[in-house]
Amino acid sequence: MDTESLRNKCAACYRQFNKKEHLVEHSKISFHSAHEPMCGVCGKHCRYFESLREHLIGPLPKLECARVFSARGCNLCLTILNGPNAVRSHRQTCQFSRKNLGSPSDILSGMSNMSINGCGRTRGPQAFALGCKMVGGGSDGSLDICAKVCLIDEDKRIIYQAFVKPLIPVTNYRYETTGVRPEYLRDSNAMQLRDVQKIIQDFLCNGEPIWKIRSSKGTGKPRILVGHGLDHDLDCLGMEYPSNFIRDTAKYPPLMKTSKLSNSLKYLTQAYLGMRNLNHKSEEVSTATDAQNRNKNNLSSWRQSELEKMTPNQLLAISRSDYYCWCFDSK
């Protein structure tokens, strides 16, 4: 590789280009940022944690990185630590977290706490995790109906939980997985869906009307909503929530498979729950809710001639991710 190509090496993924203009175009569409999973040895950025795992312990790993990782890396969260003693102590914490966060509400609570250490916290909880239990409706019992809802905060405290009175007859209670019995959904035990909607919305919006949150004119600091497959949960609850305040483990790019498919919550818990302790540099990002602003890379605001004068590190410094991170930058 000639000297010119080496100067055109991406500072994030280390791809090399023959011309500077090719590196600039790569930077515009790659959305490299501080939020990406990064190798603790060589500093390479990866789009997915699965890619980082392959880089460290895959069938064809980066040899030097694999050597360091085997000596002082955590195979649960892929963190590189200072030495063998630090690794042993850290693994106990990761295994403890994985072993003791077994129920859906506990798992999502652990997820809601990911990567917020050191990022600055306002008074009160910044995030709530939502989990729903679905029973079956319709002639074959395949139609999902929300029968129970649970909202918890970052410290795994139950903020609100209730059984929800179904709007249509239940034909399959799915007791083996839901634990819901017919008597739980009777009038004396279950709440009306509209009342559940209002209570949850009040918690999430922090006392402000939803229209203020959507328009970014509110001052009450709405909460981040964490969950797995939240589109489905919110749809079954008949609710909406602005996308810039949602962190969905099923759609968070670093947690997805390299084929851009979602991993199951069970797999994510077993493989990556320890990463809730990871920190990274925060970024200034727009809280706009429309797709155009959300997916606009910061490089697009610069002239092509200005970008081609920048070093690879400077290009990386002004690049932004195309997803909302767990670190609450959007707050």
Side-chain angles (χ1 to χ4, degrees):
M1 188 69 66
D2 57 33
T3 304
E4 180 66 23
S5 297
L6 290 175
R7 285 204 299 267
N8 300 332
K9 179 180 178 180
C10 177
C13 66
Y14 298 163
R15 286 187 61 184
Q16 295 176 333
F17 300 88
N18 292 328
K19 296 182 179 180
K20 189 59 172 289
E21 63 190 79
H22 298 161
L23 171 60
V24 170
E25 291 305 313
H26 163 78
S27 300
K28 286 182 178 180
I29 64 174
S30 61
F31 296 94
H32 289 310
S33 77
H35 300 304
E36 293 178 304
M38 187 174 70
C39 175
V41 182
C42 69
K44 179 181 179 181
H45 289 231
C46 298
R47 182 69 172 176
Y48 308 97
F49 277 97
E50 295 291 339
S51 303
L52 178 57
R53 187 181 294 276
E54 292 177 3
H55 173 82
L56 293 169
I57 54 177
L60 295 172
K62 181 73 177 295
L63 292 180
E64 177 60 21
C65 298
R67 182 187 65 78
V68 174
F69 183 81
S70 64
R72 47 190 182 92
C74 174
N75 59 358
L76 289 176
C77 65
L78 308 182
T79 303
I80 306 295
L81 295 112
N82 293 330
N85 291 335
V87 172
R88 283 192 290 270
S89 176
H90 174 83
R91 281 177 178 166
Q92 289 177 0
T93 303
C94 281
Q95 291 166 0
F96 177 81
S97 298
R98 181 179 64 177
K99 180 174 60 177
N100 287 275
L101 294 177
S103 69
S105 61
D106 285 341
I107 291 170
L108 291 175
S109 175
M111 293 291 186
S112 74
N113 226 351
M114 285 164 49
S115 297
I116 65 173
N117 297 341
C119 293
R121 297 175 60 171
T122 59
R123 293 180 63 183
Q126 284 187 276
F128 285 145
L130 176 70
C132 297
K133 294 283 190 181
M134 305 292 181
V135 293
S139 59
D140 59 354
S142 62
L143 181 63
D144 286 341
I145 306 170
C146 182
K148 185 178 181 181
V149 61
C150 183
L151 199 66
I152 57 179
D153 68 8
E154 300 161 19
D155 298 316
K156 294 186 289 183
R157 294 175 298 200
I158 296 176
I159 301 301
Y160 173 71
Q161 67 175 337
F163 289 105
V164 183
K165 187 174 177 58
L167 299 178
I168 63 175
V170 178
T171 55
N172 184 356
Y173 285 88
R174 306 173 183 173
Y175 176 76
E176 293 79 7
T177 57
T178 66
V180 175
R181 297 183 183 275
E183 57 266 28
Y184 298 166
L185 303 184
R186 292 173 185 161
D187 290 340
S188 58
N189 296 321
M191 296 186 64
Q192 295 291 336
L193 178 61
R194 62 178 178 272
D195 296 328
V196 173
Q197 292 170 339
K198 185 178 185 308
I199 292 172
I200 294 176
Q201 182 172 303
D202 286 344
F203 276 120
L204 295 178
C205 296
N206 206 6
E208 285 190 333
I210 190 71
W211 68 265
K212 277 193 175 182
I213 296 174
R214 290 197 183 100
S215 64
S216 300
K217 294 180 180 179
T219 58
K221 294 189 179 296
R223 275 65 182 251
I224 298 293
L225 178 60
V226 178
H228 188 80
L230 278 171
D231 285 347
H232 182 58
D233 286 351
L234 292 174
D235 183 59
C236 290
L237 285 169
M239 296 179 58
E240 294 182 354
Y241 201 59
S243 61
N244 54 316
F245 296 112
I246 287 179
R247 303 294 184 270
D248 193 332
T249 56
K251 293 185 175 181
Y252 184 57
L255 292 176
M256 297 174 77
K257 299 177 182 178
T258 52
S259 56
K260 297 184 179 180
L261 297 175
S262 173
N263 280 303
S264 69
L265 184 57
K266 179 180 179 180
Y267 172 79
L268 293 176
T269 305
Q270 293 174 340
Y272 298 120
L273 194 58
M275 76 179 177
R276 64 182 182 166
N277 294 318
L278 293 180
N279 296 315
H280 57 64
K281 182 178 64 176
S282 62
E283 302 178 330
E284 292 294 329
V285 297
S286 170
T287 57
T289 58
D290 61 279
Q292 181 179 5
N293 284 341
R294 178 179 176 184
N295 294 322
K296 184 178 179 182
N297 198 334
N298 198 47
L299 279 77
S300 60
S301 62
W302 293 73
R303 294 179 180 178
Q304 180 75 13
S305 58
E306 294 173 327
L307 293 173
E308 291 183 6
K309 294 178 182 178
M310 294 183 182
T311 66
N313 284 327
Q314 290 172 328
L315 290 172
L316 176 59
I318 64 173
S319 180
R320 296 292 180 266
S321 64
D322 58 346
Y323 55 84
Y324 296 112
C325 185
W326 295 92
C327 73
F328 305 166
D329 276 345
S330 63
K331 298 292 283 179

